Every structure is written in structure tokens, then in C-alpha cells.
Amino acid sequence: MSISKESELEGMKRVSEVVATTLRLMREHAKVGMSTKELDNFGGEILKSHGAKSAPYETYGFPGYSCISINEEAAHGIPSDQKILKEGDLVNIDVSAELDGFWADNGGSFVLGKDIHNHQPLVDASRDILHKAIHSIKGGVKISDIGYLIETEAKKSGFKVIKNLAGHGVGRSLHEAPEDILNYRVKTNRERFRKNTTVAVETFISTQSTVAVQLNDGWTLVGNRGGYVTQHEHTILITDGEPVILTQSNGIWG
């Protein structure tokens, strides 16, 4: 979305604050023994209390208010009464919503309780790489250069990237141009980030896989070679200097 007036920026700030708050509170609310459906319902009530609507439900008819992916699930995990959170689980929560005609998106992976399966290095890599990527974005920067940065940093940490999941423009709908802010460089992509536009930038860092494939439920994505995937995401406003991180209050950077 291209921001051309103050009212549009205020609208983006409002919805971004709602999704950021929802993500932070859901992460704090998650407990061992809780079902992912219970956690999703908790987040849904927060969205409703602000007058916001779940973006995946509104856009795609997704069976939940948020995507909650556990362990081997890479993305788009369906909240379920049968999925019970356990100590050391790798959990990803992705919250996006619409409010007053504006849309925002954010997400984050974390280890629930004690890191008994050693997932924290993967979580840290995803989070830290997103920080570096976002702070390298300003008007005029090539989108492919950010993809190169993400993949290069992942390799330095001993990890891979998922190549068919990507960040995207956001604002007047959940997914807008640019549609593919990928986690690797496509040399033929000459598109550049534009000043005064809003985008959702996200990392997909993995231990073994490079492609996400869909399960038979029609939603859940897992890695093509197994292993684990972490994701972190912020909605930002691009400037000609430091970006404005509209979902900053989700606390994924601590």
C-alpha cells in the first residue's frame, strides 16, 4: 500500500498495533497442556475487542483466527482441540487482521518452556536475520538484495531458507504488490522497495528443507525434507532512511 495521507498512516498504525498486541498476548498466554484451539480463541477475543477481523478467515476462509504451527509444521497450522502444547514445543503464531479497511500482518516463533529439543538457535537465527533485513530496507533498495541477505545470513548460522514462502505488500488487503519478498535472491527480479509503502517482511529459516508442501488438510505446510522451520514477521513503513516498524510492540525482538 502506498501511504499518501496522514489518515492512511494512522489507519495502518491502528491495525498494526492490534495485531502486534494480539501476538504478544497470545505468546504470553500459551501454556503447557493448552490446546492450540484454546490459544486461538484467546487471540480471537482480543481481535474482536478491538473491532478487528481475522485476515486469514476473512480472506481465505481459514478455520481459525490465527495460524498456529507446532514443531514440524512450517506455516498455516490449523488451531485444534487435539493439538496440546507440550514442554519444549516449537510454536509459531501468525496474526493478521483487518480494521476499518486497513490490514496488517505479523508473526513469531518461540520455544514453549524449557528448550529441551534445542530449537532456540533456529528461533534466534530467524529473529536476528529479520532484524538485519528490515534495517537494510529503504526506498530504492532491490527486493532481491534483501533475499540475498536473508539466505546468506541463514547459511552463516548453518541453516537454510524456505524458497516458496515470502513476505508481501500489505495495507488495503492482506496480500498486495510486491507479492514476493523472498528469502533468497532472484537475479532477474529488478523490483525495488518504494518509499512510503507498507510491506510485511518475514523470514522462513529451516534446518533441512527448502520448500514448503501442503498436507491433506488443505492448509498446513511442512518442509519437503522434514526438520523444523521458524518464522518472524513485521509490518513496516518504508522510508528513505530507517523503516517505521508498525508492529514493533509485538515484542518478538525482546
Side-chain angles (χ1 to χ4, degrees):
M1 176 183 174
S2 182
I3 302 291
S4 58
K5 49 190 174 182
E6 187 63 29
S7 61
E8 292 173 335
L9 179 56
E10 289 305 312
M12 284 302 295
K13 284 181 176 178
R14 282 195 301 273
V15 67
S16 295
E17 185 64 25
V18 170
V19 298
T21 298
T22 303
L23 176 59
R24 178 175 54 81
L25 293 176
M26 287 179 72
R27 192 171 62 243
E28 292 171 357
H29 187 68
K31 299 288 187 295
V32 172
M34 176 184 292
S35 74
T36 59
K37 183 62 176 173
E38 183 181 346
L39 181 58
D40 182 59
N41 286 338
F42 173 80
E45 289 303 314
I46 298 170
L47 292 177
K48 289 178 185 177
S49 73
H50 290 282
K53 296 178 181 178
S54 161
Y57 178 80
E58 291 294 315
T59 305
Y60 302 114
F62 180 76
Y65 299 106
S66 60
C67 300
I68 304 178
S69 307
I70 308 298
N71 296 323
E72 289 85 358
E73 297 172 348
H76 303 168
I78 301 172
S80 169
D81 289 323
Q82 273 67 56
K83 291 181 184 175
I84 306 301
L85 297 174
K86 297 184 287 296
E87 189 80 27
D89 274 352
L90 179 61
V91 182
N92 176 267
I93 304 174
D94 193 315
V95 180
S96 52
E98 179 272 334
L99 178 64
D100 299 328
F102 297 95
W103 304 66
D105 196 355
N106 71 163
S109 297
F110 61 96
V111 176
L112 185 65
K114 296 177 183 177
D115 185 27
I116 57 179
H117 305 298
N118 196 36
H119 291 312
Q120 195 62 48
L122 184 64
V123 171
D124 291 345
S126 174
R127 184 192 62 214
D128 296 346
I129 292 168
L130 180 68
H131 188 277
K132 189 165 187 174
I134 282 178
H135 286 89
S136 300
I137 294 173
K138 60 182 178 181
V141 169
K142 282 185 179 179
I143 290 175
S144 63
D145 286 351
I146 297 302
Y148 178 73
L149 183 156
I150 292 170
E151 185 174 31
T152 300
E153 291 296 319
K155 286 179 178 178
K156 283 181 186 177
S157 300
F159 299 120
K160 305 175 187 297
V161 299
I162 298 296
K163 294 192 171 185
N164 63 330
L165 296 175
H168 49 88
V170 67
R172 284 299 189 180
S173 61
L174 180 58
H175 289 96
E176 300 178 343
E179 295 178 359
D180 289 318
I181 304 174
L182 294 162
N183 282 207
Y184 70 105
R185 178 165 63 182
V186 178
K187 291 182 179 179
T188 55
N189 180 12
R190 303 185 186 282
E191 192 172 6
R192 297 175 184 270
F193 288 104
R194 293 189 295 118
K195 179 184 174 183
N196 295 332
T197 60
T198 48
V199 297
V201 183
E202 48 191 324
T203 48
F204 291 97
I205 311 301
S206 70
T207 56
Q208 297 179 37
S209 295
T210 55
V211 176
V213 295
Q214 192 175 85
L215 296 182
N216 291 335
D217 62 19
W219 294 105
T220 308
L221 299 173
V222 298
N224 63 325
R225 295 176 181 167
Y228 300 92
V229 178
T230 49
Q231 178 256 19
H232 289 84
E233 176 182 23
H234 271 303
T235 292
I236 68 170
L237 170 68
I238 298 167
T239 72
D240 53 12
E242 285 289 306
V244 179
I245 302 165
L246 298 172
T247 47
Q248 180 79 48
S249 64
N250 64 24
I252 63 173
W253 288 332

